[in-house]
Amino acid sequence: MASGTALVYDEEMMSYQLLWDDPECAIEVPERLSSSYKRLQDYGLVNRCVQLPIREATEDEITLVHSPEYLEVVKKTQTMDVDELKETSKKFIAAYFHQKSYRCAKLSLGGTLQLVDAVMSGDVQNGMALIRPPGHHSQRSESNGFCVFNNVAVAAEYAKSKYNVQRILIVDWDVHHGQGIQYIFEDDPSVLYFSWHRYEHGSFWPNLSESDYDSIGKGRGTGFNVNLPWNQIGMGNADYVAAFFHVLLPLAFEFNPQLVLVSAGYDSGIGDPEGRMCATPECFSHLTHMLMHLAGGRICIILEGGYHLRSLSESVSMTLRTLLKDPIPRLSGEMIPCYSALESIQNARHVHAPYWKCLLYDETSLVQEISTKGLSTPEPIDADALDVDDFLENHMKKILHPTPPVTTLVVAPAENKLNLPEGVQLQEGALTSQKAIDAISVFNQDELNDNLLNSVGKMLLSIEKLVNRKTRNCIALSPNVALSAAVAIKEASLLGSKRVFFVTVGNMDIEPEMTNDGKTMCLTIFGEKEVERTPSQYHTFFKWNEGPRDCSSFFYALLRFLLPLAYSYQPDLIMIAIGSKKSIGTKDIALLTSLLQGLADGAVLAIVKETEKEIISALSNVLVNCSSMFFGPYKPPTKEYIQNLKQELSVLQTKWRMLQCFAK
Ligand code: Q9C
Ligand code: ZN
């Protein structure tokens, strides 16, 4: 599996700018690039990347998407005087040209293609292109919204023709609708295009009815164009993540792309004068992290908009940090999507239900009458009233913690020959005898052998390091998973963990004590054997018995249930215990574990039976190497599975609000 992260940047793309007075275009300034790059340097991220040289795109590449006539128009601007440049600009909407526009547009596109080459050839796993001019508004024969050539659209055509890629996902998280990308691919089923955008019932630029949720694609491409219009400003972290769980990701996993391209505009971030949304920089870490689980981690992130320099540069930094696999800061704010966001999500799900099995059986419906006034809960943060620079300065200090010195602590019996990768540290020594005996005796009186005592003793030491962030995560091998898990839960709570999210897979012989004080939330994934128990707010069960097969639909349970529940709960520690008679496969367990690293600053404790070599190796892949593997292909869930989940959901979603995917 390829590794490494590429970065494309060249200061020559700062050599064009607006030469006359035009308030609409004045925000698109060269400093957008330099301030982002500077921030990356300050965070020490640039040197950790493979820096790719830029190049000009060729005419053949430009005309993969654009008309030769339009290419000629852009070419001519090279030798124009200011009046002529102004004249040409006026032929388009929200566009401006400079004598260096053509050169920079060729570099911007060429840089994007360099990134695609690096990722597709396997030189790197993923990467980011810091470029301008942006691209997603530009059309076959049109400049639009500061965009000259459609970088991402050309990149998709290029990947299709040069690398024979059959399925590409384009995620457009810019706050504007990338109508250019929509027009280019609306009848093309090989490109799944998702865009959310400020819409306000059509009153926001570019004021197009085709930006609404009911533009779903045309002809063979029907179902492959996904619009999620935001009808209110102030959308924040919970709204964005809910949109990923309930609209984008289920479709994306079912689609199973071979390449992910992101039209990464940061005008959807807090403080941006265009977007007026509230998402904080770490939100982009979460979005990036989730997308890294598609296409074997082949993801190219390409800059589009973003006009608040500080917000832009912090969000760019969080995105790149995540590509580099640093721990993901916890998502801040209340995890409650607002009413208007839920309306949009509900409608988008409904119009796409006929084309995607994961929506089809979930009985979607259209919102009867869309609310126009703000019924939103909670009140959107008033980003205007706040000094965004000050806010961000504080916010970043608050959420960024030093990366723990050890990535993974492993608790293993001394004689266990494990083939452990770099970044792992074996937990040596153990809290033996009395403390381990005490810890175990609470749950069990009869099974006190040396092996168990040793394993529990080491695990107790590891939990201390995990809670105090001396290690990012921990894999504990145990002769008795259920017993170790019971001990671990208790110990974590004693050490000060306030909320432990505890997932068990398969059968557990004993159950940890579950209190209902909210200090633990336990989610049990049953296999065949279903134990009689009463669920509660903090203890929930569901049946998912696909067995260890290659092609599963477990992604659906993760997105519809597990992750929204975990994000709602906002744990400070994740525990995963894998018991016997597992009802899901190794890949599913790896995907579950990997995605849960988005929570609790990545503090994950996985407890596995010491004989389960395959699971140990899969988990070390995701925990130690944060390696992106091909988790797919998946098959869509059956009606029965969906209805099973829905029973659990109906009660839980009134309290755990990220579970909700419709307005009511
Ligand atoms: N107040 C990009 O973000 N002006 N382009 C809209 C509404 C045009 C944005 C005016 C915004 C273009 C790449
Ligand atoms: Zn934009």
Side-chain angles (χ1 to χ4, degrees):
M1 198 45 76
S3 68
T5 296
L7 178 64
V8 177
Y9 171 80
D10 194 293
E11 57 186 35
E12 196 183 342
M13 286 177 289
M14 293 173 61
S15 64
Y16 78 98
Q17 64 181 64
L18 179 66
L19 295 172
W20 52 87
D21 210 44
D22 177 353
E24 192 174 31
C25 294
I27 53 176
E28 205 291 295
V29 295
E31 292 73 29
R32 296 178 55 238
L33 282 195
S34 49
S35 64
S36 300
Y37 191 71
K38 169 92 177 23
R39 204 76 197 103
L40 293 180
Q41 282 179 316
D42 292 345
Y43 280 126
L45 300 174
V46 172
N47 295 331
R48 295 170 57 198
C49 293
V50 176
Q51 294 174 57
L52 296 181
I54 200 141
R55 68 166 173 91
E56 283 192 353
T58 65
E59 294 194 2
D60 282 347
E61 288 162 350
I62 294 167
T63 53
L64 281 170
V65 158
H66 298 284
S67 67
E69 298 74 28
Y70 174 61
L71 174 57
E72 284 315 305
V73 172
V74 180
K75 222 185 246 181
K76 285 209 185 94
T77 60
Q78 286 179 105
T79 51
M80 287 179 178
D81 64 27
V82 175
D83 282 339
E84 291 167 325
L85 287 167
K86 222 168 163 175
E87 253 344 275
T88 305
S89 304
K90 271 201 212 135
K91 292 189 182 129
F92 304 109
I93 298 166
Y96 71 90
F97 283 96
H98 178 281
Q99 286 196 339
K100 293 295 293 281
S101 289
Y102 179 51
R103 164 81 178 157
C104 293
K106 282 190 291 183
L107 292 178
S108 187
L109 177 55
T112 303
L113 301 182
Q114 288 283 80
L115 178 57
V116 170
D117 278 330
V119 168
M120 287 311 301
S121 66
D123 286 350
V124 294
Q125 174 156 70
N126 58 36
M128 183 165 200
L130 282 187
I131 53 165
R132 70 188 276 272
H136 72 152
H137 297 303
S138 101
Q139 296 146 45
R140 182 170 154 79
S141 295
E142 221 147 312
S143 171
N144 182 288
F146 321 147
C147 302
V148 178
F149 299 136
N150 201 315
N151 306 311
V152 167
V154 176
E157 288 297 359
Y158 180 80
K160 275 166 55 175
S161 62
K162 184 163 176 185
Y163 298 98
N164 194 28
V165 177
Q166 318 272 321
R167 291 178 312 281
I168 300 176
L169 169 66
I170 299 179
V171 179
D172 189 336
W173 71 44
D174 187 283
V175 87
H176 301 96
H177 181 215
Q179 85 278 37
I181 301 182
Q182 172 169 314
Y183 297 154
I184 291 158
F185 297 113
E186 59 194 341
D187 57 7
D188 184 346
S190 68
V191 176
L192 173 59
Y193 176 60
F194 170 89
S195 173
W196 63 36
H197 34 269
R198 182 172 170 191
Y199 187 61
E200 296 173 297
H201 307 288
S203 67
F204 189 69
W205 190 89
N207 315 89
L208 303 166
S209 60
E210 62 266 35
S211 305
D212 211 349
Y213 64 86
D214 55 359
S215 291
I216 57 173
K218 293 183 175 159
R220 294 188 56 230
T222 307
F224 295 92
N225 189 85
V226 184
N227 283 336
L228 186 62
W230 298 128
N231 287 316
Q232 277 181 17
I233 57 169
M235 296 299 167
N237 297 347
D239 305 299
Y240 286 3
V241 169
F244 264 47
F245 289 153
H246 301 308
V247 184
L248 169 62
L249 293 178
L251 272 52
F253 275 93
E254 195 173 320
F255 182 65
N256 190 31
Q258 295 159 308
L259 174 66
V260 179
L261 302 174
V262 182
S263 266
Y266 294 91
D267 40 16
S268 48
I270 191 165
D272 192 278
E274 271 287 307
R276 302 190 60 198
M277 299 299 179
C278 290
T280 49
E282 77 280 11
C283 190
F284 296 98
S285 285
H286 290 259
L287 305 182
T288 303
H289 179 242
M290 293 183 211
L291 295 178
M292 286 164 74
H293 294 84
L294 295 158
R298 282 191 209 157
I299 173 170
C300 300
I301 301 199
I302 293 122
L303 184 64
E304 300 278 2
Y307 308 101
H308 185 286
L309 296 184
R310 182 69 192 256
S311 179
L312 166 68
S313 55
E314 295 296 352
S315 296
V316 164
S317 301
M318 293 314 298
T319 305
L320 192 64
R321 277 172 65 96
T322 306
L323 290 180
L324 285 162
K325 305 187 175 178
D326 280 359
I328 295 146
R330 281 173 224 206
L331 192 58
S332 60
E334 246 192 311
M335 286 300 112
I336 303 177
C338 76
Y339 190 85
S340 176
L342 288 173
E343 289 181 326
S344 301
I345 288 170
Q346 179 180 341
N347 281 342
R349 285 170 59 89
H350 182 72
V351 293
H352 282 283
Y355 310 98
W356 300 92
K357 300 261 187 347
C358 55
L359 302 177
L360 186 61
Y361 303 129
D362 206 349
E363 290 162 37
T364 60
S365 62
L366 275 188
V367 173
Q368 288 304 307
E369 203 181 317
I370 294 202
S371 71
T372 34
K373 52 181 182 31
L375 289 169
S376 57
T377 36
E379 285 285 288
I381 315 164
D382 191 357
D384 302 330
L386 190 114
D387 184 327
V388 179
D389 284 86
D390 279 1
F391 169 80
L392 285 172
E393 173 97 42
N394 280 317
H395 183 75
M396 299 318 288
K397 273 191 205 140
K398 217 162 55 189
I399 65 160
L400 287 177
H401 310 296
T403 301
V406 176
T407 303
T408 304
L409 259 181
V410 174
V411 170
E415 70 281 6
N416 203 323
K417 290 255 175 317
L418 288 166
N419 205 356
L420 293 171
E422 236 179 288
V424 166
Q425 193 172 306
L426 275 176
Q427 174 65 55
E428 308 284 355
L431 248 192
T432 28
S433 312
Q434 211 45 53
K435 196 164 179 214
I437 292 171
D438 291 348
I440 295 171
S441 325
V442 179
F443 302 99
N444 183 319
Q445 304 295 339
D446 39 60
E447 204 195 330
L448 285 178
N449 61 60
D450 281 354
N451 191 16
L452 182 65
L453 277 179
N454 180 276
S455 165
V456 169
K458 283 179 177 171
M459 187 187 69
L460 288 170
L461 285 181
S462 303
I463 294 173
E464 186 273 322
K465 292 185 190 156
L466 186 61
V467 170
N468 295 314
R469 308 311 288 138
K470 290 175 220 152
T471 182
R472 186 193 303 200
N473 54 47
C474 174
I475 302 175
L477 313 190
S478 165
N480 184 337
V481 170
L483 184 60
S484 290
V487 172
I489 290 248
K490 191 154 186 167
E491 180 72 3
S493 174
L494 285 174
L495 288 167
S497 293
K498 292 192 182 67
R499 286 183 304 279
V500 181
F501 189 76
F502 177 45
V503 185
T504 71
V505 180
N507 292 340
M508 293 283 136
D509 307 324
I510 61 157
E511 285 301 312
E513 313 169 82
M514 283 301 153
T515 54
N516 235 345
D517 57 4
K519 281 193 167 183
T520 42
M521 176 180 281
C522 178
L523 192 142
T524 302
I525 304 172
F526 281 130
E528 273 148 34
K529 194 181 95 184
E530 213 169 321
V531 187
E532 231 1 270
R533 262 170 315 194
T534 10
S536 69
Q537 235 183 107
Y538 296 105
H539 201 171
T540 147
F541 318 93
F542 72 99
K543 207 169 130 181
W544 199 274
N545 188 18
E546 290 186 285
R549 59 190 64 200
D550 286 337
C551 189
S552 84
S553 29
F554 186 66
F555 77 92
Y556 183 83
L558 266 170
L559 298 169
R560 185 69 186 88
F561 190 23
L562 245 136
L563 287 172
L565 189 65
Y567 270 81
S568 301
Y569 180 61
Q570 297 181 279
D572 47 22
L573 182 64
I574 303 290
M575 281 182 48
I576 302 165
I578 320 289
S580 60
K581 298 216 175 67
K582 302 168 294 292
S583 60
I584 57 176
T586 303
K587 260 193 192 178
D588 295 331
I589 294 170
L591 179 65
L592 159 75
T593 307
S594 187
L595 281 165
L596 285 173
Q597 291 184 96
L599 295 138
D601 294 300
V604 176
L605 168 63
I607 306 174
V608 191
K609 184 104 176 156
E610 58 190 355
T611 49
E612 294 273 9
K613 292 274 148 64
E614 190 188 280
I615 292 186
I616 295 164
S617 136
L619 290 190
S620 30
N621 243 324
V622 299
L623 291 175
V624 187
N625 302 324
C626 307
S627 116
S628 312
M629 46 192 272
F630 264 104
F631 293 102
Y634 298 96
K635 57 171 194 234
T638 64
K639 198 169 183 167
E640 189 202 335
Y641 280 127
I642 294 182
Q643 271 155 10
N644 243 322
L645 272 194
K646 283 190 87 162
Q647 270 179 355
E648 295 298 327
L649 286 167
S650 58
V651 192
L652 288 166
Q653 67 194 3
T654 57
K655 178 168 172 71
W656 308 108
R657 301 283 293 278
M658 293 300 292
L659 291 167
Q660 203 176 322
C661 57
F662 53 87
K664 62 151 198 289

PDB file of all heavy atoms in Angstrom, residues 493-515:
ATOM      1  N   SER A 493     -12.364   4.512  34.198  1.00  0.00           N
ATOM      2  CA  SER A 493     -13.221   5.409  34.956  1.00  0.00           C
ATOM      3  C   SER A 493     -12.514   5.899  36.221  1.00  0.00           C
ATOM      4  O   SER A 493     -12.558   7.082  36.562  1.00  0.00           O
ATOM      5  CB  SER A 493     -14.523   4.671  35.266  1.00  0.00           C
ATOM      6  OG  SER A 493     -15.309   5.456  36.097  1.00  0.00           O
ATOM      7  N   LEU A 494     -11.813   4.987  36.894  1.00  0.00           N
ATOM      8  CA  LEU A 494     -11.044   5.373  38.089  1.00  0.00           C
ATOM      9  C   LEU A 494      -9.975   6.404  37.754  1.00  0.00           C
ATOM     10  O   LEU A 494      -9.674   7.296  38.540  1.00  0.00           O
ATOM     11  CB  LEU A 494     -10.369   4.137  38.708  1.00  0.00           C
ATOM     12  CG  LEU A 494     -11.273   3.181  39.483  1.00  0.00           C
ATOM     13  CD1 LEU A 494     -10.494   1.939  39.907  1.00  0.00           C
ATOM     14  CD2 LEU A 494     -11.872   3.897  40.709  1.00  0.00           C
ATOM     15  N   LEU A 495      -9.381   6.265  36.567  1.00  0.00           N
ATOM     16  CA  LEU A 495      -8.308   7.174  36.167  1.00  0.00           C
ATOM     17  C   LEU A 495      -8.828   8.512  35.643  1.00  0.00           C
ATOM     18  O   LEU A 495      -8.057   9.365  35.233  1.00  0.00           O
ATOM     19  CB  LEU A 495      -7.429   6.517  35.098  1.00  0.00           C
ATOM     20  CG  LEU A 495      -6.517   5.398  35.589  1.00  0.00           C
ATOM     21  CD1 LEU A 495      -5.949   4.612  34.425  1.00  0.00           C
ATOM     22  CD2 LEU A 495      -5.400   5.963  36.464  1.00  0.00           C
ATOM     23  N   GLY A 496     -10.140   8.642  35.617  1.00  0.00           N
ATOM     24  CA  GLY A 496     -10.688   9.952  35.294  1.00  0.00           C
ATOM     25  C   GLY A 496     -11.348  10.080  33.937  1.00  0.00           C
ATOM     26  O   GLY A 496     -11.754  11.177  33.552  1.00  0.00           O
ATOM     27  N   SER A 497     -11.463   9.000  33.182  1.00  0.00           N
ATOM     28  CA  SER A 497     -12.211   9.091  31.921  1.00  0.00           C
ATOM     29  C   SER A 497     -13.671   9.383  32.244  1.00  0.00           C
ATOM     30  O   SER A 497     -14.277   8.704  33.062  1.00  0.00           O
ATOM     31  CB  SER A 497     -12.114   7.773  31.142  1.00  0.00           C
ATOM     32  OG  SER A 497     -10.809   7.568  30.707  1.00  0.00           O
ATOM     33  N   LYS A 498     -14.201  10.394  31.610  1.00  0.00           N
ATOM     34  CA  LYS A 498     -15.577  10.781  31.933  1.00  0.00           C
ATOM     35  C   LYS A 498     -16.598  10.071  31.061  1.00  0.00           C
ATOM     36  O   LYS A 498     -17.717   9.811  31.469  1.00  0.00           O
ATOM     37  CB  LYS A 498     -15.726  12.289  31.780  1.00  0.00           C
ATOM     38  CG  LYS A 498     -14.936  13.056  32.817  1.00  0.00           C
ATOM     39  CD  LYS A 498     -15.340  14.529  32.809  1.00  0.00           C
ATOM     40  CE  LYS A 498     -14.510  15.305  33.807  1.00  0.00           C
ATOM     41  NZ  LYS A 498     -13.065  15.348  33.374  1.00  0.00           N
ATOM     42  N   ARG A 499     -16.197   9.796  29.844  1.00  0.00           N
ATOM     43  CA  ARG A 499     -17.120   9.092  28.951  1.00  0.00           C
ATOM     44  C   ARG A 499     -16.354   8.077  28.117  1.00  0.00           C
ATOM     45  O   ARG A 499     -15.525   8.429  27.289  1.00  0.00           O
ATOM     46  CB  ARG A 499     -17.828  10.093  28.023  1.00  0.00           C
ATOM     47  CG  ARG A 499     -18.905  10.944  28.723  1.00  0.00           C
ATOM     48  CD  ARG A 499     -19.625  11.854  27.748  1.00  0.00           C
ATOM     49  NE  ARG A 499     -18.684  12.707  27.048  1.00  0.00           N
ATOM     50  CZ  ARG A 499     -18.168  13.828  27.552  1.00  0.00           C
ATOM     51  NH1 ARG A 499     -18.533  14.242  28.738  1.00  0.00           N
ATOM     52  NH2 ARG A 499     -17.312  14.538  26.841  1.00  0.00           N
ATOM     53  N   VAL A 500     -16.631   6.815  28.366  1.00  0.00           N
ATOM     54  CA  VAL A 500     -15.998   5.741  27.598  1.00  0.00           C
ATOM     55  C   VAL A 500     -17.024   5.161  26.628  1.00  0.00           C
ATOM     56  O   VAL A 500     -18.104   4.735  27.043  1.00  0.00           O
ATOM     57  CB  VAL A 500     -15.468   4.623  28.522  1.00  0.00           C
ATOM     58  CG1 VAL A 500     -14.798   3.527  27.696  1.00  0.00           C
ATOM     59  CG2 VAL A 500     -14.516   5.187  29.565  1.00  0.00           C
ATOM     60  N   PHE A 501     -16.684   5.168  25.369  1.00  0.00           N
ATOM     61  CA  PHE A 501     -17.548   4.536  24.358  1.00  0.00           C
ATOM     62  C   PHE A 501     -17.017   3.132  24.129  1.00  0.00           C
ATOM     63  O   PHE A 501     -15.888   2.944  23.693  1.00  0.00           O
ATOM     64  CB  PHE A 501     -17.528   5.360  23.068  1.00  0.00           C
ATOM     65  CG  PHE A 501     -18.542   4.900  22.055  1.00  0.00           C
ATOM     66  CD1 PHE A 501     -19.889   5.207  22.209  1.00  0.00           C
ATOM     67  CD2 PHE A 501     -18.151   4.179  20.935  1.00  0.00           C
ATOM     68  CE1 PHE A 501     -20.835   4.792  21.272  1.00  0.00           C
ATOM     69  CE2 PHE A 501     -19.093   3.760  19.990  1.00  0.00           C
ATOM     70  CZ  PHE A 501     -20.432   4.070  20.158  1.00  0.00           C
ATOM     71  N   PHE A 502     -17.825   2.155  24.471  1.00  0.00           N
ATOM     72  CA  PHE A 502     -17.372   0.775  24.536  1.00  0.00           C
ATOM     73  C   PHE A 502     -18.155  -0.088  23.549  1.00  0.00           C
ATOM     74  O   PHE A 502     -19.363  -0.232  23.678  1.00  0.00           O
ATOM     75  CB  PHE A 502     -17.572   0.288  25.982  1.00  0.00           C
ATOM     76  CG  PHE A 502     -17.221  -1.144  26.224  1.00  0.00           C
ATOM     77  CD1 PHE A 502     -16.059  -1.696  25.726  1.00  0.00           C
ATOM     78  CD2 PHE A 502     -18.063  -1.949  26.985  1.00  0.00           C
ATOM     79  CE1 PHE A 502     -15.730  -3.018  25.961  1.00  0.00           C
ATOM     80  CE2 PHE A 502     -17.744  -3.275  27.232  1.00  0.00           C
ATOM     81  CZ  PHE A 502     -16.572  -3.817  26.714  1.00  0.00           C
ATOM     82  N   VAL A 503     -17.449  -0.626  22.575  1.00  0.00           N
ATOM     83  CA  VAL A 503     -18.109  -1.468  21.577  1.00  0.00           C
ATOM     84  C   VAL A 503     -17.671  -2.906  21.787  1.00  0.00           C
ATOM     85  O   VAL A 503     -16.471  -3.182  21.894  1.00  0.00           O
ATOM     86  CB  VAL A 503     -17.712  -1.058  20.140  1.00  0.00           C
ATOM     87  CG1 VAL A 503     -18.502  -1.870  19.111  1.00  0.00           C
ATOM     88  CG2 VAL A 503     -17.931   0.427  19.923  1.00  0.00           C
ATOM     89  N   THR A 504     -18.614  -3.808  21.852  1.00  0.00           N
ATOM     90  CA  THR A 504     -18.239  -5.221  21.907  1.00  0.00           C
ATOM     91  C   THR A 504     -18.743  -5.921  20.656  1.00  0.00           C
ATOM     92  O   THR A 504     -19.840  -5.651  20.177  1.00  0.00           O
ATOM     93  CB  THR A 504     -18.798  -5.945  23.150  1.00  0.00           C
ATOM     94  OG1 THR A 504     -20.220  -6.091  23.010  1.00  0.00           O
ATOM     95  CG2 THR A 504     -18.514  -5.180  24.426  1.00  0.00           C
ATOM     96  N   VAL A 505     -17.900  -6.797  20.150  1.00  0.00           N
ATOM     97  CA  VAL A 505     -18.255  -7.563  18.957  1.00  0.00           C
ATOM     98  C   VAL A 505     -18.212  -9.035  19.332  1.00  0.00           C
ATOM     99  O   VAL A 505     -17.224  -9.496  19.910  1.00  0.00           O
ATOM    100  CB  VAL A 505     -17.244  -7.295  17.825  1.00  0.00           C
ATOM    101  CG1 VAL A 505     -17.620  -8.084  16.575  1.00  0.00           C
ATOM    102  CG2 VAL A 505     -17.150  -5.812  17.512  1.00  0.00           C
ATOM    103  N   GLY A 506     -19.266  -9.747  19.015  1.00  0.00           N
ATOM    104  CA  GLY A 506     -19.301 -11.180  19.319  1.00  0.00           C
ATOM    105  C   GLY A 506     -19.706 -11.438  20.758  1.00  0.00           C
ATOM    106  O   GLY A 506     -20.157 -10.540  21.469  1.00  0.00           O
ATOM    107  N   ASN A 507     -19.508 -12.662  21.178  1.00  0.00           N
ATOM    108  CA  ASN A 507     -19.976 -13.045  22.510  1.00  0.00           C
ATOM    109  C   ASN A 507     -18.991 -12.644  23.598  1.00  0.00           C
ATOM    110  O   ASN A 507     -17.799 -12.805  23.461  1.00  0.00           O
ATOM    111  CB  ASN A 507     -20.171 -14.561  22.575  1.00  0.00           C
ATOM    112  CG  ASN A 507     -21.322 -14.997  21.695  1.00  0.00           C
ATOM    113  OD1 ASN A 507     -22.187 -14.179  21.353  1.00  0.00           O
ATOM    114  ND2 ASN A 507     -21.326 -16.252  21.320  1.00  0.00           N
ATOM    115  N   MET A 508     -19.542 -12.146  24.679  1.00  0.00           N
ATOM    116  CA  MET A 508     -18.758 -11.820  25.869  1.00  0.00           C
ATOM    117  C   MET A 508     -19.287 -12.733  26.980  1.00  0.00           C
ATOM    118  O   MET A 508     -20.488 -12.757  27.219  1.00  0.00           O
ATOM    119  CB  MET A 508     -19.002 -10.370  26.284  1.00  0.00           C
ATOM    120  CG  MET A 508     -18.477  -9.339  25.320  1.00  0.00           C
ATOM    121  SD  MET A 508     -16.699  -9.148  25.444  1.00  0.00           S
ATOM    122  CE  MET A 508     -16.291  -9.107  23.729  1.00  0.00           C
ATOM    123  N   ASP A 509     -18.396 -13.440  27.615  1.00  0.00           N
ATOM    124  CA  ASP A 509     -18.874 -14.374  28.636  1.00  0.00           C
ATOM    125  C   ASP A 509     -19.377 -13.652  29.871  1.00  0.00           C
ATOM    126  O   ASP A 509     -20.312 -14.066  30.514  1.00  0.00           O
ATOM    127  CB  ASP A 509     -17.762 -15.350  29.022  1.00  0.00           C
ATOM    128  CG  ASP A 509     -17.198 -16.011  27.774  1.00  0.00           C
ATOM    129  OD1 ASP A 509     -17.998 -16.261  26.853  1.00  0.00           O
ATOM    130  OD2 ASP A 509     -15.968 -16.228  27.727  1.00  0.00           O
ATOM    131  N   ILE A 510     -18.683 -12.576  30.222  1.00  0.00           N
ATOM    132  CA  ILE A 510     -19.198 -11.803  31.347  1.00  0.00           C
ATOM    133  C   ILE A 510     -19.429 -10.381  30.874  1.00  0.00           C
ATOM    134  O   ILE A 510     -18.832  -9.931  29.918  1.00  0.00           O
ATOM    135  CB  ILE A 510     -18.220 -11.791  32.550  1.00  0.00           C
ATOM    136  CG1 ILE A 510     -16.897 -11.160  32.129  1.00  0.00           C
ATOM    137  CG2 ILE A 510     -18.042 -13.151  33.138  1.00  0.00           C
ATOM    138  CD1 ILE A 510     -16.131 -10.628  33.295  1.00  0.00           C
ATOM    139  N   GLU A 511     -20.291  -9.721  31.522  1.00  0.00           N
ATOM    140  CA  GLU A 511     -20.606  -8.359  31.141  1.00  0.00           C
ATOM    141  C   GLU A 511     -19.971  -7.394  32.123  1.00  0.00           C
ATOM    142  O   GLU A 511     -20.058  -7.574  33.334  1.00  0.00           O
ATOM    143  CB  GLU A 511     -22.126  -8.155  31.184  1.00  0.00           C
ATOM    144  CG  GLU A 511     -22.841  -8.787  30.025  1.00  0.00           C
ATOM    145  CD  GLU A 511     -22.364  -8.250  28.687  1.00  0.00           C
ATOM    146  OE1 GLU A 511     -22.287  -7.007  28.558  1.00  0.00           O
ATOM    147  OE2 GLU A 511     -22.052  -9.045  27.788  1.00  0.00           O
ATOM    148  N   PRO A 512     -19.327  -6.360  31.623  1.00  0.00           N
ATOM    149  CA  PRO A 512     -18.829  -5.342  32.548  1.00  0.00           C
ATOM    150  C   PRO A 512     -20.001  -4.677  33.263  1.00  0.00           C
ATOM    151  O   PRO A 512     -21.101  -4.641  32.729  1.00  0.00           O
ATOM    152  CB  PRO A 512     -18.112  -4.360  31.646  1.00  0.00           C
ATOM    153  CG  PRO A 512     -18.472  -4.719  30.249  1.00  0.00           C
ATOM    154  CD  PRO A 512     -19.074  -6.074  30.233  1.00  0.00           C
ATOM    155  N   GLU A 513     -19.732  -4.200  34.449  1.00  0.00           N
ATOM    156  CA  GLU A 513     -20.830  -3.519  35.152  1.00  0.00           C
ATOM    157  C   GLU A 513     -21.185  -2.271  34.376  1.00  0.00           C
ATOM    158  O   GLU A 513     -20.313  -1.470  34.091  1.00  0.00           O
ATOM    159  CB  GLU A 513     -20.405  -2.972  36.520  1.00  0.00           C
ATOM    160  CG  GLU A 513     -19.655  -3.835  37.433  1.00  0.00           C
ATOM    161  CD  GLU A 513     -19.120  -2.972  38.577  1.00  0.00           C
ATOM    162  OE1 GLU A 513     -19.900  -2.727  39.511  1.00  0.00           O
ATOM    163  OE2 GLU A 513     -17.950  -2.543  38.522  1.00  0.00           O
ATOM    164  N   MET A 514     -22.425  -2.150  34.048  1.00  0.00           N
ATOM    165  CA  MET A 514     -22.852  -0.976  33.313  1.00  0.00           C
ATOM    166  C   MET A 514     -23.691  -0.098  34.210  1.00  0.00           C
ATOM    167  O   MET A 514     -24.761  -0.473  34.633  1.00  0.00           O
ATOM    168  CB  MET A 514     -23.664  -1.388  32.088  1.00  0.00           C
ATOM    169  CG  MET A 514     -22.790  -1.891  30.989  1.00  0.00           C
ATOM    170  SD  MET A 514     -21.605  -0.630  30.501  1.00  0.00           S
ATOM    171  CE  MET A 514     -20.307  -1.670  29.891  1.00  0.00           C
ATOM    172  N   THR A 515     -23.158   1.053  34.464  1.00  0.00           N
ATOM    173  CA  THR A 515     -23.925   1.975  35.271  1.00  0.00           C
ATOM    174  C   THR A 515     -24.735   2.849  34.329  1.00  0.00           C
ATOM    175  O   THR A 515     -24.467   2.884  33.144  1.00  0.00           O
ATOM    176  CB  THR A 515     -22.985   2.851  36.095  1.00  0.00           C
ATOM    177  OG1 THR A 515     -22.054   3.452  35.193  1.00  0.00           O
ATOM    178  CG2 THR A 515     -22.257   2.023  37.118  1.00  0.00           C
TER     179      THR A 515
END
